[in-house]
Amino acid sequence: MKILKTCLLVLFCLVAGTSLFAAGQQDSDTTNLTLMLNFQSTEAVTTAFEEVISDFHSANPSIKIDLISGTSDYEALMKSKMATNDLPDMWSTHGWSVLRYSEYLMPLEDQEWASRLHPAIKPVVTDEKGHIYVLPIDVDMAGVAYNKTVLAKAGVKVETLKTWKDLYGAMDKVKAIGVTPVHIGGKDSWTVGNFFDWAAPAVYITDPKHYSGDDLVAGKFDTAKWELLAGLMKEMNEKGYLNVDNLTSTYSDSARALAVGDAAFTFYGNYVLAEAWTFDPDADLGFFPVPAYYEGDSPSLISGERSTVGIWKDTANVEACKTFLSFLAIPANAAKIAGSNGIPAGLTDAESDTGKLKADYKKWADAPAFPYFDRAFLPSGMWDTMCSTGAGILSESMSTTEAAEKMKEDFNRMYK
Amino acid sequence: MITGKKSLISKILWSVLTIFIGFFHFIPLFISINVAFKPKTDLSSRWTLPAEFYLKNFSYAAEKAKIILAVQNSLIITITSIAVIVMIGGMAAYPLARNRSRFNERILQFVLAVMMVPPLSMLVPLVTIMTRLGAVSTYWGIIVVLVTFQLPISIFLYSSFIRTIPGELDEAALIDGCSKFTIFYKIILPLLKPITATVIILTGVAIWNDYQFSLFLLQSPRMRVVTLAVSTFFAQSSSNLGAAAAAALIAVMPIALLFLFLQRYFIQGMVDSAVKG
Amino acid sequence: MKKLQEKSRTHSKHPHITNLMYLPALLLFTVFIVYPFLEGIRIAFTNWNGFSQHYDYVGFKNFIYLFQDKNMYTASWNTIIYGFGSTVFQQILGLSYALLLNRMILGRNFARTFVYLPVLIAPVIMGYMWYFMFQYRYGALNDILAVLGMDPVDWLAKGKRAVGLIVFVNTVQFCGISMVIYLAGLQTIPTMYYEASQIDGANAWKQFINITMPLLRPAFITSITLNLIGGLKLFDAIKAMTNGGPGYASHSLSTLIDYTYFRSQSAGYSATMGILLFAMILLFTLIIQKLSARQEVLL
């Protein structure tokens, strides 16, 4: 017993000693910052961040940054961190800098880099008071993802697809060669909502003659327009443009169908291309802007946040965080991170390498870009209604009028 | 001997029906086994047996779905929970069975009422509270919740069993000067073996198969239990169903084997719990 | 018994010291069931989104909306279908199997084993196994249709059909429970009853109505209660097979609560639906208790 006690005492002294020693080793003027990313450690973008951070550390030895890469439960983790108001110094906002995280983030529109933001991303990260809460290092630009081989076989040129009418024509040609024109993986209900996010701007926003953005922000919802939009889905379903199992297959099925040429188009972001290439690395895939709805309007791209960094408003090290963000905003650094995602940089003076999609990004560089519709123009919580009413239309249990009515009802309920 | 012939024919018909019923309930497992042992490229009907004994799906499932890690997590959680349930449940049942005061009757009714509470009706507050306690994605968090929701059935089984033990035993021990606690540990506890087997089987199966609590309280991939690992894998790999089926079989195997060897106990346990209710 | 208790009281200084033994259990119930329940009632009066530091008390707004919410009606109706539908079919299957497998016939143990085995498989995994049957592409059921020369069907794409199939899956998985209860019940009926009635010239059907059914009453009550509560709480199988879809067509209250909390980020409203689900199960449980108690009195 005595021996045991002595051992314990010695052990305790050792532990206490080492921790004191370690504390002594800590340079008193070193600032430790935590940065949490939603990207997994296996993704290339995490490596790019690590490289930039080590460069930063060489330039600013007094600031140390702990990078915590994400897991698939990042979103849930951040929610519980918000609920307990215990957040990291900096984190990335995966599309929600304004709607979900702004309550916890510090406004940054006074920073030097705010003037250099890419026009495609600036409106996405700005709230109605003009505050910007994150540095968007790159822009997630997307349109309709498609299989080039299938379209070549069907004799369709994407440059000619200016309006939905043109797109329908293309779908007919694709159907004629025995391929499913559009794949929707509706068992994962978000895939249905995503279609509306892609098609809604053309109906509500992109055409100046039919602009309803201000009305939406002011709390007025136009059901007639939503009927047009829901009508697109209804029509595609009735004309047999969709995969038959559009309600029981999954997003992963969509990616596979796109890769192997079972489907021509999918209404997802460019992440679907990355997913499709895991099935067939040699698949010839690309994207083109979403066609316009009204005659005389032009096609447009959908833009959103991807790699963003914001600062917790209650952080103890405001200056150190801002220094790091300025470092990230140096064109070469931003270009490195954006390039690892294969998408354009979020700053006007940074040029990134966009990999397999380089030609497509170049081709559509001049197309106007609009933010994700629901994030910019609908109250929080509507996403869910978009998904469910869409599924209602696909399962023929809802008319377009009913879907629009339901949208309006929830819009009025959630609008604050 | 016409009747003999008739009864023989009817016997055969009944047997055929019986065997058919057995097979019918085996269908989902049969299909899953076929899917699991066929490579992705094999597009033969799911009703046909695999042509070769293809094991790649299992190795893929073990590697990608981290099913082995999930089995470990499930084992840790299940075994710890069962131990806690048996301890706390047995202890709680003794006074409830022996001191039949009005107050204790109320407590027992309350325990029975808890059995009815649908877990999902507590979803929001429970997750909120666990978040505040920092118990999300921890072993102790999930164990404490699973134990709480499985306790009523164990208390109930134990207390109805203790009631069948004659009170004279306690009496005799009291006269010998034992304290009440000693009576419980020395006399009652050893008699509880058969019912403990039932408690272990019932709560063990429920906890091993739990999906709803694990889904909400285990958000970290490292903490996944088998049900979660399989469901996530299904959601992500709908194009590689062979591996998903393999993962499902790995998750089902331990319980199925236990059942085949200890069938009598499983059925007896079910009957005990039901008939006493 | 009373005497004994009095005796024991005189003998021990602390008659109820053993009551301390249920404290750990009560503590767990209080912290993880009673407290969350009360907290849930509080959250139901807010517009909390589930993660923000800010929320307002909105009075009965959530409760009022509950009665205007079409999805709530769909889900409540489905919950009742899942509960009662499964229960009815489970009794029919369970009792038929019990009567059949109570005979001395070949294959009896084989059938008992495979009817009961699914009870031990996690419902969520079972749901996925049935998904192999109902899938549109490569689904085993559509293979049968193809052999019969019919077109494939996307089984789970229609709401009402999906609800029916979920009831089917739940029934087939858990009818083993009813079967075992009825088998145990049948074994408690003395054979001399049957012998006596045979002498009176009663046929098998009469015997079933006059002897078997009345004597199985306790088994009925037990089995129905277990199945009904299980069915009303149904969650795992729905998640695996349809995830509540298409649209909201196959949601039960349980899955809708989960969906509203995690997907629509309306924690306040989700908690309100939780109270509704709790009330619903409480109501049905009380009805069953009342009915079964009255039956006993009538006997």
Side-chain angles (χ1 to χ4, degrees):
Chain A
M1 199 62 220
K2 243 191 180 140
I3 292 173
L4 188 72
K5 274 189 179 159
T6 322
C7 282
L8 276 176
L9 195 70
V10 170
L11 200 67
F12 174 77
C13 289
L14 273 175
V15 171
T18 42
S19 55
L20 279 173
F21 181 72
Q25 284 288 320
Q26 278 280 357
D27 210 331
S28 55
D29 32 322
T30 307
T31 326
N32 269 322
L33 302 178
T34 317
L35 166 63
M36 285 182 66
L37 292 183
N38 56 313
F39 307 110
Q40 313 216 3
S41 54
T42 50
E43 292 180 67
V45 60
T46 312
T47 320
F49 262 103
E50 279 165 355
E51 286 170 13
V52 173
I53 286 171
S54 79
D55 292 349
F56 175 76
H57 195 61
S58 325
N60 305 272
S62 65
I63 306 177
K64 196 170 167 306
I65 293 179
D66 292 325
L67 175 74
I68 302 174
S69 56
T71 51
S72 54
D73 62 331
Y74 181 80
E75 206 166 335
L77 182 73
M78 289 314 283
K79 276 187 187 174
S80 60
K81 282 189 166 299
M82 285 190 281
T84 49
N85 201 15
D86 164 35
L87 288 146
D89 299 298
M90 296 177 284
W91 71 90
S92 59
T93 53
H94 57 96
W96 296 97
S97 70
V98 172
L99 278 176
R100 188 182 300 171
Y101 293 110
S102 58
E103 182 187 333
Y104 301 90
L105 291 166
M106 181 179 298
L108 299 168
E109 59 276 9
D110 56 350
Q111 296 293 296
E112 167 277 326
W113 45 258
S115 60
R116 295 188 280 126
L117 291 189
H118 195 291
I121 193 75
K122 193 164 185 165
V124 175
V125 295
T126 310
D127 74 358
E128 66 246 20
K129 294 197 189 81
H131 292 308
I132 294 171
Y133 299 94
V134 287
L135 164 67
I137 304 167
D138 48 21
V139 192
D140 196 2
M141 289 252 239
V144 183
Y146 74 106
N147 183 310
K148 294 182 178 177
T149 320
V150 171
L151 287 202
K153 211 187 287 175
V156 176
K157 285 202 162 46
V158 290
E159 295 80 0
T160 62
L161 305 179
K162 297 283 186 222
T163 63
W164 268 90
K165 210 171 159 185
D166 304 334
L167 189 59
Y168 277 167
M171 288 183 191
D172 281 327
K173 285 182 185 166
V174 170
K175 215 179 143 185
I177 62 163
V179 175
T180 303
V182 180
H183 198 289
I184 293 181
K187 193 187 179 198
D188 299 327
S189 62
W190 66 268
T191 60
V192 181
N194 214 66
F195 167 79
F196 291 121
D197 253 352
W198 258 229
V203 178
Y204 278 88
I205 310 296
T206 62
D207 188 349
K209 289 198 289 291
H210 298 271
Y211 183 76
S212 329
D214 297 338
D215 282 354
L216 288 166
V217 172
K220 287 203 279 287
F221 186 82
D222 184 349
T223 46
K225 277 190 175 165
W226 195 267
E227 280 190 52
L228 298 178
L229 185 61
L232 289 174
M233 189 164 243
K234 188 168 186 259
E235 245 174 301
M236 288 199 303
N237 198 24
E238 283 170 353
K239 289 185 174 169
Y241 291 154
L242 303 176
N243 50 315
V244 183
D245 53 353
N246 54 54
L247 284 164
T248 52
S249 56
T250 60
Y251 162 68
S252 162
D253 292 333
S254 294
R256 192 182 142 274
L258 193 66
V260 301
D262 279 351
F265 307 109
T266 58
F267 291 90
Y268 304 118
N270 287 350
Y271 45 81
V272 76
L273 301 174
E275 178 91 6
W277 277 317
T278 64
F279 290 106
D280 179 5
D282 305 325
D284 195 5
L285 311 171
F287 72 99
F288 63 92
V290 184
Y293 187 84
Y294 304 104
E295 285 299 329
D297 188 18
S298 57
S300 55
L301 292 167
I302 310 291
S303 62
E305 305 171 14
R306 180 146 168 101
S307 317
T308 58
V309 179
I311 304 173
W312 187 26
K313 69 175 182 0
D314 298 337
T315 175
N317 311 301
V318 181
E319 281 319 307
C321 290
K322 286 184 174 170
T323 312
F324 177 64
L325 254 55
S326 306
F327 188 81
L328 280 178
I330 295 170
N333 293 335
K336 184 184 265 179
I337 289 171
S340 68
N341 274 323
I343 53 177
L347 300 164
T348 43
D349 48 5
E351 174 81 33
S352 67
D353 173 21
T354 49
K356 281 183 189 173
L357 292 171
K358 201 176 182 77
D360 279 11
Y361 279 115
K362 222 185 203 78
K363 192 193 292 185
W364 311 118
D366 300 333
F370 294 89
Y372 274 71
F373 181 75
D374 72 304
R375 294 178 196 170
F377 298 105
L378 297 179
S380 184
M382 289 289 291
W383 167 250
D384 191 45
T385 315
M386 280 165 55
C387 299
S388 60
T389 51
I393 286 166
L394 289 177
S395 64
E396 291 161 13
S397 61
M398 242 184 190
S399 69
T400 53
T401 318
E402 283 168 336
E405 281 306 319
K406 174 75 184 148
M407 283 295 293
K408 190 188 173 88
E409 180 194 321
D410 283 9
F411 183 97
N412 292 339
R413 187 166 59 95
M414 316 234 185
Y415 185 82
K416 289 191 181 77
Chain B
M1 289 318 285
I2 289 172
T3 49
K5 215 174 190 167
K6 204 173 161 187
S7 73
L8 184 68
I9 287 174
S10 76
K11 256 208 162 109
I12 289 172
L13 283 177
W14 284 124
S15 281
V16 168
L17 179 66
T18 306
I19 289 166
F20 172 79
I21 287 171
F23 270 123
F24 177 79
H25 284 264
F26 185 58
I27 285 176
L29 268 169
F30 174 73
I31 300 274
S32 308
I33 291 168
N34 285 347
V35 175
F37 283 107
K38 284 178 187 174
K40 218 171 22 174
T41 49
D42 182 347
L43 291 179
S44 63
S45 167
R46 286 177 183 169
W47 293 100
T48 56
L49 290 166
E52 47 162 341
F53 212 56
Y54 180 80
L55 288 171
K56 279 252 169 55
N57 285 329
F58 286 85
S59 51
Y60 184 83
E63 179 197 347
K64 275 276 188 305
K66 299 213 168 37
I67 201 89
I68 305 299
L69 175 75
V71 168
Q72 274 174 7
N73 285 334
S74 276
L75 276 176
I76 292 171
I77 289 166
T78 309
I79 291 170
T80 319
S81 304
I82 290 176
V84 175
I85 286 170
V86 167
M87 240 165 39
I88 295 184
M91 260 170 51
Y94 179 64
L96 291 173
R98 280 285 186 259
N99 315 336
R100 309 291 298 277
S101 65
R102 181 162 295 209
F103 180 71
N104 282 5
E105 287 297 306
R106 284 278 153 77
I107 298 272
L108 198 56
Q109 273 173 353
F110 168 74
V111 170
L112 285 180
V114 167
M115 242 190 267
M116 307 296 168
V117 175
L120 262 295
S121 68
M122 320 281 262
L123 170 66
V124 180
L126 195 64
V127 174
T128 309
I129 287 164
M130 296 311 267
T131 305
R132 271 187 230 142
L133 292 173
V136 173
S137 297
T138 61
Y139 284 124
W140 74 267
I142 186 82
I143 287 170
V144 144
V145 169
L146 287 169
V147 164
T148 307
F149 277 83
Q150 290 297 324
L151 260 182
I153 182 90
S154 74
I155 292 179
F156 172 70
L157 285 172
Y158 275 123
S159 61
S160 38
F161 188 84
I162 292 174
R163 269 179 218 168
T164 62
I165 300 172
E168 285 84 347
L169 277 178
D170 307 32
E171 279 307 303
L174 262 182
I175 292 163
D176 290 347
C178 293
S179 80
K180 287 239 173 184
F181 294 107
T182 326
I183 294 177
F184 175 68
Y185 284 108
K186 286 266 160 64
I187 296 173
I188 305 287
L189 210 53
L191 294 173
L192 294 181
K193 272 194 193 117
I195 195 72
T196 300
T198 298
V199 169
I200 288 176
I201 284 175
L202 282 177
T203 57
V205 170
I207 290 171
W208 179 269
N209 286 343
D210 170 75
Y211 173 66
Q212 41 197 18
F213 290 120
S214 310
L215 180 67
F216 308 130
L217 296 176
L218 299 176
Q219 310 198 318
S220 156
R222 273 175 299 111
M223 294 295 300
R224 269 191 202 131
V225 290
V226 283
T227 47
L228 279 189
V230 172
S231 65
T232 331
F233 197 50
F234 259 94
Q236 285 166 354
S237 61
S238 53
S239 46
N240 188 358
L241 287 173
L249 288 181
I250 295 173
V252 166
M253 217 46 84
I255 289 234
L257 287 178
L258 273 179
F259 172 66
L260 293 179
F261 284 108
L262 303 169
Q263 199 170 339
R264 218 160 42 86
Y265 296 95
F266 272 83
I267 305 259
Q268 196 49 48
M270 178 68 229
V271 172
D272 280 352
S273 70
V275 173
K276 296 225 166 63
Chain C
M1 198 68 220
K2 257 219 163 99
K3 243 187 183 163
L4 281 180
Q5 279 198 347
E6 273 165 31
K7 247 195 197 160
S8 68
R9 253 172 231 170
T10 50
H11 274 284
S12 85
K13 272 181 271 179
H14 310 287
H16 290 311
I17 183 122
T18 47
N19 281 0
L20 290 176
M21 291 165 75
Y22 55 61
L23 279 187
L26 280 192
L27 185 74
L28 283 177
F29 290 145
T30 313
V31 176
F32 296 104
I33 292 182
V34 179
Y35 171 54
F37 183 74
L38 298 173
E39 180 73 0
I41 294 177
R42 188 182 69 83
I43 293 173
F45 286 96
T46 68
N47 61 0
W48 189 45
N49 62 5
F51 53 85
S52 171
Q53 298 293 316
H54 307 291
Y55 56 84
D56 306 310
Y57 284 93
V58 293
F60 284 91
K61 206 168 148 192
N62 286 328
F63 291 86
I64 293 163
Y65 181 68
L66 189 67
F67 290 100
Q68 303 164 340
D69 183 6
K70 280 204 191 88
N71 299 332
M72 187 282 293
Y73 286 105
T74 311
S76 299
W77 185 233
N78 285 346
T79 304
I80 291 171
I81 294 176
Y82 291 137
F84 285 85
S86 310
T87 306
V88 169
F89 290 118
Q90 274 164 341
Q91 303 328 303
I92 294 171
L93 275 187
L95 185 56
S96 322
Y97 288 177
L99 289 168
L100 174 66
L101 302 181
N102 207 19
R103 301 157 166 258
M104 293 303 287
I105 38 176
L106 188 74
R108 185 171 79 144
N109 287 341
F110 168 81
R112 278 188 190 184
T113 304
F114 283 114
V115 171
Y116 194 76
L117 178 63
V119 170
L120 307 170
I121 292 176
V124 66
I125 295 178
M126 201 65 180
Y128 281 116
M129 287 181 170
W130 279 105
Y131 185 67
F132 288 136
M133 285 287 286
F134 299 131
Q135 256 182 313
Y136 178 72
R137 295 177 64 179
Y138 319 125
L141 204 51
N142 282 345
D143 276 353
I144 297 180
L145 292 189
V147 169
L148 298 173
M150 290 154 93
D151 285 337
V153 175
D154 195 1
W155 291 97
L156 295 167
K158 288 269 182 287
K160 286 207 168 54
R161 193 165 55 206
V163 170
L165 288 173
I166 290 168
V167 168
F168 167 82
V169 166
N170 190 40
T171 302
V172 170
Q173 179 172 7
F174 288 111
C175 64
I177 294 182
S178 328
M179 176 188 79
V180 166
I181 294 172
Y182 289 130
L183 271 172
L186 287 173
Q187 275 149 17
T188 58
I189 303 176
T191 46
M192 63 178 203
Y193 286 11
Y194 292 112
E195 285 157 8
S197 72
Q198 207 139 22
I199 293 165
D200 293 345
N203 61 10
W205 174 247
K206 271 237 165 72
Q207 286 184 344
F208 176 70
I209 292 294
N210 296 327
I211 301 170
T212 316
M213 291 293 271
L215 287 170
L216 278 182
R217 186 182 302 283
F220 271 118
I221 291 166
T222 309
S223 173
I224 287 175
T225 311
L226 276 177
N227 292 155
L228 185 64
I229 289 170
L232 291 170
K233 288 181 185 174
L234 199 63
F235 176 83
D236 302 19
I238 306 170
K239 283 285 272 194
M241 283 175 63
T242 63
N243 213 349
Y248 283 103
S250 63
H251 269 297
S252 70
L253 275 173
S254 292
T255 54
L256 192 60
I257 287 167
D258 157 49
Y259 198 83
T260 311
Y261 178 36
F262 285 102
R263 290 285 314 273
S264 328
Q265 296 172 16
S266 326
Y269 183 50
S270 181
T272 314
M273 276 198 280
I275 295 171
L276 173 76
L277 174 64
F278 179 77
M280 197 179 207
I281 298 218
L282 189 69
L283 178 76
F284 286 125
T285 313
L286 287 176
I287 290 175
I288 291 182
Q289 279 190 338
K290 271 272 179 293
L291 285 178
S292 55
R294 188 174 321 144
Q295 298 281 23
E296 305 301 351
V297 172
L298 282 178
L299 284 173

